[in-house]
Amino acid sequence: MLLAEVAAASADIASASARRAKTDRLAALLSRAAADGGAHLVAVTASWLSGDLPQRQIGVGRSALRSLPPPASTPTLTVADVDARFTRIGAVAGKGARTARAELVRDLFETASGTEQTFLRRLLSGELRQGALAGVMADAIAGAAGVPAADVRRAAMLAGALPSVAAAALTGGRPALAEFRLRAGQPVGPMLAQTATGVADALRRLGGTAVLEAKLDGARVQIHRAGSAVSIYTRSLDEVTGRLPEVVAATLALPATDLIADAEAIALRPDGRPHRFQVTAARFGRRQAGDLEPLSVFFFDLLHLDGRDLLDLPTRDRLAALDTLVPGAQRVDRLVTADPDAAQQFLDRTLAAGHEGVMAKSPSAPYEAGRRGAGWLKVKPVHTLDLVVLAVEWGSGRRTGTLSNIHLGARDPATGGYVMLGKTFKGMTDAMLEWQTRRFIELADGSTEGYVVRLRPEQVVEIAFDGVQGSTRYPGGLALRFARVVRYRDDKSPAEADTVDTVRALYEQGG
């Protein structure tokens, strides 16, 4: 199967507004992949059209894609060939790796047609946002394989990824999907949470009573134990076992033979307060722990214990099993209540201890692996800043033709200029995209760099964010965590924007 077929399907899916049209187009392509190349080709195709590489990371980002050769006149690349090239690129290491990798990337793009180059550039830069979300992909797999969508979703939950499920469904049907089971050492997609506006809202939405848990400002990990073998995975299912020896030791100390648990790994100060998130995150960026800060582990859910799957049990039963296994000092702080005042006090204590907020969970909800279920709600305070838009990037996929990703700047009273704090395209509605495209074309200062359009610093935007972290990427040394647009502030001038001093103060406060 040619890469051009996948690129064309990607463009069709991006331009389709109806879910059924996206699903049908995906199903047709997956069927074509199965007929042409079997399980591996199906898995690669499903991975690409979900915006991922089977190889995960191959060392090619935006900077490596700024200068590309002219496209080939005729498409000749096959999916299998490109997948093999990605593997070779990712395997490059040692002295001169960057140059060698760049040459391989150039060789690939020299062979690609214009449409293929566009697809590859977006895929490699992480910008292939075409609406092929997990739910759409699951329905497409079911349609192509002629199996119930519920079977596909259950298998995906247990497999932790759709590409392997797609390969099984299209080559083995329902019997192959039934082979996906919960096994220690095979990570599953983590259950995710929706957002509540406060603890009272969370109690109301959960039917009156909720299990409240401290939401630690650490890193979520999924811990697997099979006998004396322990495996640890991040929420994106990357294995990090060798980097977290303290978590391995704590798991082996538990009175169990086999288990799968949800937990939070976090670096704590001597007084028990959390270090900045980056201190914890640094451990996940190293192959070995080295001389970095030690981590503590706090368990908050149990999915499997000694041959018994707990996924489908209600929260209260999973927590009862957890409490019999894990000492209280290694469990996340918890309160079961129907009292809004008690819930608020628990949230206040958690925030005062330096943590993010609380999770509110339905006592009767099962563990919906890989889904953002209504049974889990997160409650945490939202910071906002009024910042100035310094530049904007042309969108891709569904946002092609619009100015989308905005560069955010805080006012610097010392220089009269602005200090960049990051970028975001989160929170933008279709109406907002349409308005800001017109507005930013008016503000363009005439200088561009690839898809980046520089602006006169005149437009103020209100940005919500979860915290401030240190950054070596931006000149001010700071960046906003999970920034998203609230609204544009036409009622404010750039002179009224928040200053970088305000941002630094939030950073110093641990905000």
Side-chain angles (χ1 to χ4, degrees), residues 39 79-80 86 123 125-126 147 156 165 189 202 236 262 270 289 349 359-360 396 404 496-497 505:
V79 172
F86 285 161
L123 176 63
S125 63
V147 299
V165 172
S236 58
D262 244 343
R349 289 196 303 272
M359 296 292 298
S396 60
S404 174
E496 297 175 280

mmCIF file of all heavy atoms in Angstrom, residues 39 79-80 86 123 125-126 147 156 165 189 202 236 262 270 289 349 359-360 396 404 496-497 505:
data_model
loop_
_atom_site.group_PDB
_atom_site.id
_atom_site.type_symbol
_atom_site.label_atom_id
_atom_site.label_comp_id
_atom_site.label_asym_id
_atom_site.label_seq_id
_atom_site.Cartn_x
_atom_site.Cartn_y
_atom_site.Cartn_z
ATOM 1 N N ALA A 39 -1.388 -7.960 9.402
ATOM 2 C CA ALA A 39 -1.467 -7.362 10.732
ATOM 3 C C ALA A 39 -0.523 -6.183 10.915
ATOM 4 O O ALA A 39 -0.900 -5.146 11.478
ATOM 5 C CB ALA A 39 -1.183 -8.429 11.792
ATOM 6 N N VAL A 79 3.950 2.212 2.540
ATOM 7 C CA VAL A 79 3.831 2.325 3.991
ATOM 8 C C VAL A 79 4.907 1.489 4.678
ATOM 9 O O VAL A 79 5.550 1.933 5.636
ATOM 10 C CB VAL A 79 2.426 1.889 4.452
ATOM 11 C CG1 VAL A 79 2.347 1.815 5.973
ATOM 12 C CG2 VAL A 79 1.368 2.827 3.904
ATOM 13 N N ALA A 80 5.133 0.283 4.187
ATOM 14 C CA ALA A 80 6.132 -0.593 4.788
ATOM 15 C C ALA A 80 7.527 0.022 4.693
ATOM 16 O O ALA A 80 8.322 -0.046 5.643
ATOM 17 C CB ALA A 80 6.110 -1.955 4.116
ATOM 18 N N PHE A 86 11.623 4.879 9.327
ATOM 19 C CA PHE A 86 11.463 5.454 10.659
ATOM 20 C C PHE A 86 12.263 4.654 11.688
ATOM 21 O O PHE A 86 12.897 5.210 12.589
ATOM 22 C CB PHE A 86 9.990 5.479 11.059
ATOM 23 C CG PHE A 86 9.172 6.546 10.382
ATOM 24 C CD1 PHE A 86 7.787 6.451 10.331
ATOM 25 C CD2 PHE A 86 9.778 7.657 9.806
ATOM 26 C CE1 PHE A 86 7.024 7.432 9.729
ATOM 27 C CE2 PHE A 86 9.015 8.648 9.185
ATOM 28 C CZ PHE A 86 7.641 8.523 9.146
ATOM 29 N N LEU A 123 2.936 14.409 10.832
ATOM 30 C CA LEU A 123 3.058 13.212 11.663
ATOM 31 C C LEU A 123 4.288 13.294 12.561
ATOM 32 O O LEU A 123 4.220 13.043 13.772
ATOM 33 C CB LEU A 123 3.138 11.971 10.770
ATOM 34 C CG LEU A 123 3.357 10.617 11.476
ATOM 35 C CD1 LEU A 123 2.188 10.309 12.398
ATOM 36 C CD2 LEU A 123 3.545 9.511 10.444
ATOM 37 N N SER A 125 6.012 15.940 13.472
ATOM 38 C CA SER A 125 6.034 17.095 14.375
ATOM 39 C C SER A 125 4.923 17.038 15.415
ATOM 40 O O SER A 125 4.789 17.943 16.241
ATOM 41 C CB SER A 125 5.915 18.401 13.576
ATOM 42 O OG SER A 125 4.674 18.467 12.888
ATOM 43 N N GLY A 126 4.115 15.971 15.388
ATOM 44 C CA GLY A 126 3.042 15.830 16.365
ATOM 45 C C GLY A 126 1.845 16.702 16.085
ATOM 46 O O GLY A 126 1.062 16.995 16.997
ATOM 47 N N VAL A 147 -16.954 -6.589 13.584
ATOM 48 C CA VAL A 147 -17.094 -7.051 14.966
ATOM 49 C C VAL A 147 -17.783 -5.955 15.776
ATOM 50 O O VAL A 147 -17.789 -4.792 15.378
ATOM 51 C CB VAL A 147 -15.723 -7.381 15.592
ATOM 52 C CG1 VAL A 147 -15.040 -8.494 14.814
ATOM 53 C CG2 VAL A 147 -14.840 -6.139 15.652
ATOM 54 N N ALA A 156 -9.124 -2.717 23.526
ATOM 55 C CA ALA A 156 -8.243 -1.552 23.564
ATOM 56 C C ALA A 156 -7.938 -1.147 25.002
ATOM 57 O O ALA A 156 -6.833 -0.728 25.333
ATOM 58 C CB ALA A 156 -8.870 -0.390 22.804
ATOM 59 N N VAL A 165 -4.815 -3.747 18.631
ATOM 60 C CA VAL A 165 -6.200 -4.219 18.586
ATOM 61 C C VAL A 165 -6.718 -4.216 17.153
ATOM 62 O O VAL A 165 -7.406 -5.152 16.726
ATOM 63 C CB VAL A 165 -7.078 -3.344 19.495
ATOM 64 C CG1 VAL A 165 -8.550 -3.694 19.324
ATOM 65 C CG2 VAL A 165 -6.657 -3.495 20.948
ATOM 66 N N GLY A 189 -4.473 1.282 29.377
ATOM 67 C CA GLY A 189 -4.727 2.713 29.370
ATOM 68 C C GLY A 189 -5.266 3.164 30.713
ATOM 69 O O GLY A 189 -6.171 2.541 31.269
ATOM 70 N N ALA A 202 -18.780 18.625 42.332
ATOM 71 C CA ALA A 202 -18.389 17.219 42.209
ATOM 72 C C ALA A 202 -19.340 16.316 42.988
ATOM 73 O O ALA A 202 -19.774 15.270 42.482
ATOM 74 C CB ALA A 202 -16.962 17.040 42.705
ATOM 75 N N SER A 236 1.509 7.595 29.670
ATOM 76 C CA SER A 236 1.542 7.368 28.227
ATOM 77 C C SER A 236 2.058 5.970 27.889
ATOM 78 O O SER A 236 2.319 5.655 26.735
ATOM 79 C CB SER A 236 2.417 8.427 27.547
ATOM 80 O OG SER A 236 3.729 8.411 28.063
ATOM 81 N N ASP A 262 -2.394 1.601 40.425
ATOM 82 C CA ASP A 262 -2.234 2.996 40.034
ATOM 83 C C ASP A 262 -1.592 3.724 41.209
ATOM 84 O O ASP A 262 -2.006 3.528 42.369
ATOM 85 C CB ASP A 262 -3.604 3.623 39.753
ATOM 86 C CG ASP A 262 -3.773 4.049 38.303
ATOM 87 O OD1 ASP A 262 -2.755 4.165 37.605
ATOM 88 O OD2 ASP A 262 -4.924 4.272 37.883
ATOM 89 N N PRO A 270 12.186 17.566 52.895
ATOM 90 C CA PRO A 270 12.260 16.989 54.249
ATOM 91 C C PRO A 270 11.035 17.266 55.104
ATOM 92 O O PRO A 270 10.687 16.469 55.977
ATOM 93 C CB PRO A 270 13.515 17.656 54.832
ATOM 94 C CG PRO A 270 14.371 17.938 53.642
ATOM 95 C CD PRO A 270 13.409 18.306 52.549
ATOM 96 N N ALA A 289 18.588 6.586 38.080
ATOM 97 C CA ALA A 289 18.245 7.585 39.082
ATOM 98 C C ALA A 289 19.387 8.547 39.352
ATOM 99 O O ALA A 289 19.195 9.739 39.558
ATOM 100 C CB ALA A 289 17.829 6.883 40.375
ATOM 101 N N ARG A 349 -7.030 21.744 52.959
ATOM 102 C CA ARG A 349 -5.854 21.126 53.598
ATOM 103 C C ARG A 349 -4.878 20.598 52.553
ATOM 104 O O ARG A 349 -3.655 20.718 52.698
ATOM 105 C CB ARG A 349 -6.294 19.985 54.523
ATOM 106 C CG ARG A 349 -7.007 20.414 55.779
ATOM 107 C CD ARG A 349 -7.037 19.273 56.794
ATOM 108 N NE ARG A 349 -7.669 18.060 56.276
ATOM 109 C CZ ARG A 349 -8.974 17.808 56.340
ATOM 110 N NH1 ARG A 349 -9.798 18.712 56.885
ATOM 111 N NH2 ARG A 349 -9.460 16.681 55.874
ATOM 112 N N MET A 359 -9.142 14.717 43.753
ATOM 113 C CA MET A 359 -9.933 13.896 42.851
ATOM 114 C C MET A 359 -11.185 13.488 43.596
ATOM 115 O O MET A 359 -11.121 13.094 44.766
ATOM 116 C CB MET A 359 -9.154 12.642 42.431
ATOM 117 C CG MET A 359 -7.898 12.917 41.637
ATOM 118 S SD MET A 359 -8.235 13.585 40.006
ATOM 119 C CE MET A 359 -9.157 12.220 39.285
ATOM 120 N N ALA A 360 -12.333 13.600 42.949
ATOM 121 C CA ALA A 360 -13.605 13.150 43.511
ATOM 122 C C ALA A 360 -14.074 11.960 42.676
ATOM 123 O O ALA A 360 -14.213 12.064 41.452
ATOM 124 C CB ALA A 360 -14.635 14.272 43.479
ATOM 125 N N SER A 396 -2.975 23.180 11.308
ATOM 126 C CA SER A 396 -2.920 22.008 10.429
ATOM 127 C C SER A 396 -4.128 21.129 10.716
ATOM 128 O O SER A 396 -4.871 21.358 11.668
ATOM 129 C CB SER A 396 -1.619 21.230 10.668
ATOM 130 O OG SER A 396 -1.532 20.794 12.014
ATOM 131 N N SER A 404 -3.711 29.595 14.489
ATOM 132 C CA SER A 404 -4.153 28.816 15.637
ATOM 133 C C SER A 404 -3.256 28.969 16.860
ATOM 134 O O SER A 404 -3.590 29.651 17.815
ATOM 135 C CB SER A 404 -4.261 27.349 15.221
ATOM 136 O OG SER A 404 -4.542 26.516 16.298
ATOM 137 N N GLU A 496 -1.678 47.051 30.188
ATOM 138 C CA GLU A 496 -2.378 46.513 31.357
ATOM 139 C C GLU A 496 -2.168 45.011 31.516
ATOM 140 O O GLU A 496 -2.734 44.400 32.434
ATOM 141 C CB GLU A 496 -3.865 46.811 31.235
ATOM 142 C CG GLU A 496 -4.216 48.287 31.214
ATOM 143 C CD GLU A 496 -5.696 48.507 30.960
ATOM 144 O OE1 GLU A 496 -6.091 48.435 29.775
ATOM 145 O OE2 GLU A 496 -6.440 48.720 31.935
ATOM 146 N N ALA A 497 -1.378 44.409 30.652
ATOM 147 C CA ALA A 497 -1.111 42.975 30.750
ATOM 148 C C ALA A 497 -0.302 42.679 32.002
ATOM 149 O O ALA A 497 0.398 43.542 32.540
ATOM 150 C CB ALA A 497 -0.364 42.490 29.508
ATOM 151 N N ALA A 505 6.664 35.622 40.743
ATOM 152 C CA ALA A 505 6.138 35.500 42.107
ATOM 153 C C ALA A 505 5.322 34.204 42.252
ATOM 154 O O ALA A 505 5.412 33.503 43.261
ATOM 155 C CB ALA A 505 5.295 36.714 42.459
#
